[in-house]
Amino acid sequence: MATVGRVAGPAVGTADRPRLRTGLLLAAPAIAIFALLFVAPLCTLVANSFRTQQGALTLDNYVRFLGDPFYRGVLLNTLKIAALTTVGCLLVGYPFALYLRGRSPRVRNWLALMLLSPLLVSMVIRAYGWLVVLGPNGPVAGAFEAVGLGAPRLLYNDTAVLIGMVHVMLAYMVLPLMGSLDRIDPTLVPAARGLGASGWTCFWRITVPLSAPGMLAGAMIVFSLTASSFVTPAILGGPKVKLMPYFVYTQATTTLDWPYAAAIGFVLVIVTTGLLLGYARLLRRGRGEVVFA
């Protein structure tokens, strides 16, 4: 039996080698592009973050950032905006994804086109469109004045940034949710209703747990993209909304302190990656079947 085991092992490995070689050849262009456009710039970013402006090695950039309560507050505010945007996209996107689930293919296509339409417009144009809508002379202020209320201040604060980011990121939440909801067996809810479960019980005990992988996948995408977003927060929030990408930009272009800008950017990468790894661990729990147990 031991001899058979030794003979069978190499035979299987030899048979798998052409398949592995073919897979590597097919993946080689994607790996090369990934290394060129992501790995190499990230390595350059890390190397620059440990240098002074004169090129000497130092840890002062990280000591400066971590030792300054102002920059720690900027990091926390960035994570807060990203988390609130994720929650907002989930609250708006989940009912929309549920509505799309039961529609005909034609209606789904039209609604999906409406959902994706903001992604077809430049980020700058979208942000300036929200400047008009939320401005003191815009339709929102006009609606408040029409009912005798004072127009709220909606520009250059966290509220404006959240509204703009939810509008931009909504599609990234809805699309994974639609995939999870479409994979749910349509006979489960009728079967549960036949056994006496209420509609609310079916929703919380069947629909929500089985769609949890889509929720967590959408949350990972929305959170990471929001935390690193620059254009929309810079236009709608201005200098009053303190976010990490804005300070990376100002350090690199205004003060010309490239090493410190690299350190700020790398801190954001590390923190965001750590949180996403936590998301991924939660996503793997129960193999995507029961996440909220």
Side-chain angles (χ1 to χ4, degrees):
M1 295 299 293
T3 304
V4 173
R6 287 194 296 270
V7 174
V12 174
T14 304
D16 286 343
R17 285 199 193 105
R19 187 182 306 170
L20 178 62
R21 190 180 303 115
T22 302
L24 290 176
L25 288 175
L26 292 174
I31 295 174
I33 293 174
F34 179 79
L36 179 64
L37 299 181
F38 181 77
V39 176
L42 183 61
C43 292
T44 303
L45 178 76
V46 175
N48 287 335
S49 69
F50 288 100
R51 296 184 180 276
T52 64
Q53 295 192 40
Q54 291 74 32
L57 292 176
T58 183
L59 293 174
D60 289 345
N61 295 319
Y62 291 97
V63 173
R64 176 183 171 187
F65 181 88
L66 297 175
D68 192 333
F70 173 79
Y71 284 106
R72 294 200 302 270
V74 171
L75 175 60
L76 292 177
N77 192 51
T78 302
L79 299 178
K80 181 191 75 173
I81 293 293
L84 290 176
T85 300
T86 303
V87 173
C89 288
L90 182 60
L91 293 177
V92 177
Y94 199 94
F96 187 71
L98 281 176
Y99 179 78
L100 286 177
R101 183 189 181 193
R103 304 282 74 79
S104 65
R106 181 178 180 182
V107 174
R108 283 175 61 120
N109 290 337
W110 279 107
L111 292 177
L113 179 61
M114 292 176 57
L115 176 69
L116 296 173
S117 59
L119 303 180
L120 306 177
V121 182
S122 168
M123 290 185 293
V124 176
I125 296 176
R126 276 198 311 263
Y128 276 104
W130 277 111
L131 277 180
V132 174
V133 173
L134 301 176
N137 298 318
V140 175
F144 275 89
E145 293 175 357
V147 297
L149 298 175
R153 185 176 179 82
L154 295 176
L155 284 180
Y156 307 120
N157 52 34
D158 289 353
T159 301
V161 175
L162 286 173
I163 292 174
M165 292 309 301
V166 169
H167 176 236
V168 173
M169 299 296 170
L170 185 60
Y172 297 106
M173 178 64 73
V174 173
L175 294 179
L177 281 172
M178 289 175 58
S180 288
L181 291 171
D182 287 341
R183 287 193 294 269
I184 297 176
D185 189 343
T187 63
L188 291 177
V189 173
R193 294 297 297 270
L195 294 174
S198 64
W200 191 251
T201 301
C202 292
F203 175 74
W204 280 109
R205 300 296 297 273
I206 297 176
T207 305
V208 171
L210 293 180
S211 62
M215 285 190 284
L216 293 174
M220 291 174 65
I221 298 171
V222 172
F223 185 90
S224 59
L225 292 179
T226 303
S228 59
S229 180
F230 169 73
V231 174
T232 301
I235 294 177
L236 296 180
K240 292 184 178 180
V241 179
K242 307 293 191 299
L243 298 179
M244 294 280 282
Y246 180 82
F247 279 94
V248 173
Y249 173 79
T250 55
Q251 290 294 327
T253 61
T254 303
T255 63
L256 300 180
D257 193 346
W258 286 82
Y260 190 50
I264 296 175
F266 189 56
V267 167
L268 181 60
V269 170
I270 290 296
V271 173
T272 305
T273 302
L275 292 174
L276 292 181
L277 289 175
Y279 275 130
R281 184 175 181 181
L282 181 61
L283 185 62
R284 290 194 302 268
R285 181 183 173 188
R287 298 180 180 178
E289 296 172 357
V290 181
V291 179
F292 301 113

